[in-house]
Amino acid sequence: MKPFDNYEISGCQRLDDAGTPDPNGSITVTCDDDEAEFWTLYGHVQGVRVEALGDYSSREAAEEVYQCITGQPFPNLYESDPHIRRMHLAAEAFALLERAASELEIWQMSCGPEGDPDTQAILGEIRHLFARAAGDGSDEPAPSRDIAITWSVEDVLEIRPDLSEVQAIQVLQWAKRKHDATIGINWEVLACHAEFLFGDAPATPLRLT
């Protein structure tokens, strides 16, 4: 059985045998929203079938169900959405990705004991994606491939309250300029930079404004 390749939401009303609107009528027809008694979500398979999936008291309720099915808001256009096509290709895409990951694993073996860092990071993201698809991992995205540790003006003033905010910014800029990856930035490093730029801290420091 082919999956739905499109969806439609239409306002509907019931008619009696004479074609007059009747909430208890036996005939259901589509209509404009301002005449609708309820809204129906339809699934389409182009050239094969149209199937009513459910009736809802409002268009918004029908759109919420559509979003639950497809993972995206209703597009308000009667067209085959690329997102739906990608959904149907997911199984093929995952199979291809699994083959590519296997080839990358083999290639990694030729890159020494540690392998290539960028490739290793990509493989980690792929494994995380497979775990999410299998329901064995968190729905959160894979951890970032970059990290950043932030030092602020307040941190500088914590160790050198005698400095002004402008001077504290200069200390941070100097620390960035003179950054040594083997040491990093810590309280002692900031204190040394502050001392280099503005001299020793006073015995009883006063906070400048």
Side-chain angles (χ1 to χ4, degrees), residues 161-179:
D162 58 300
L163 301 181
S164 68
E165 291 192 1
V166 172
Q167 289 172 324
I169 291 173
Q170 291 174 323
V171 172
L172 291 174
Q173 292 173 335
W174 188 256
K176 180 179 179 181
R177 179 179 176 185
K178 295 297 183 178
H179 181 258

Side-chain angles (χ1 to χ4, degrees), residues 1 4 7 17 19-20 51 93 109 126 143 153 165 179 197:
M1 180 179 294
F4 296 124
Y7 293 87
D17 293 341
T20 303
E51 185 172 334
M109 296 178 184
I126 291 174
V153 166
E165 291 192 1
H179 181 258
L197 292 172

Side-chain angles (χ1 to χ4, degrees), residues 20-41:
T20 303
D22 181 356
N24 299 315
S26 59
I27 302 172
T28 299
V29 296
T30 59
C31 63
D32 294 334
D33 280 7
D34 57 357
E35 299 176 342
E37 298 174 31
F38 57 92
W39 283 259
T40 299
L41 174 63

Side-chain angles (χ1 to χ4, degrees), residues 39-70:
W39 283 259
T40 299
L41 174 63
Y42 296 93
H44 289 250
V45 177
Q46 187 174 8
V48 178
R49 76 182 195 278
V50 178
E51 185 172 334
L53 304 178
D55 296 332
Y56 304 92
S57 60
S58 67
R59 173 174 285 275
E60 290 75 18
E63 291 182 358
E64 287 179 6
V65 173
Y66 170 88
Q67 187 164 357
C68 288
I69 294 172
T70 66

